[in-house]
Amino acid sequence: WTALLSRGSTRLVKYGGAGEHVRRLQRALNAGTGAGLDVTGVYEQQTTDAVRAYQQRVGLPASGVATEQVWSSLQRGILS
């Protein structure tokens, strides 16, 4: 589900961002990690924390920013 939910164009999204990319990210993190995020489409602290935790889990630099590497990992279904 993670790969399917994160499918589509990728772009860097970070705290303060909003829109469909953020919704896709929140859904993918919920499916893949059980993050328990509200799917609001707004990149707030809870989303930042979930992205940072995912980055640590898969061995990426833990910035809390959804980079191309984060999207690529999610789209390939990498969960640990």
Side-chain angles (χ1 to χ4, degrees), residues 5-80:
L5 291 168
S6 62
R7 192 173 187 185
S9 66
T10 63
R11 68 175 195 181
L12 185 133
V13 287
K14 59 185 178 179
Y15 186 86
E20 186 56 36
H21 282 84
V22 178
R23 278 189 285 281
R24 283 188 14 238
L25 176 65
Q26 290 167 331
R27 287 184 189 113
L29 289 168
N30 284 342
T33 69
L37 297 170
D38 292 331
V39 181
T40 62
V42 179
Y43 205 118
E44 297 179 303
Q45 190 61 48
Q46 188 181 20
T47 302
T48 300
D49 294 343
V51 170
R52 186 175 290 118
Y54 176 74
Q55 289 168 320
Q56 290 173 337
R57 186 175 178 173
V58 299
L60 296 173
S63 63
V65 175
T67 62
E68 176 106 13
Q69 290 175 310
V70 170
W71 285 110
S72 176
S73 294
L74 288 168
Q75 290 174 343
R76 288 183 292 149
I78 297 173
L79 303 176
S80 60

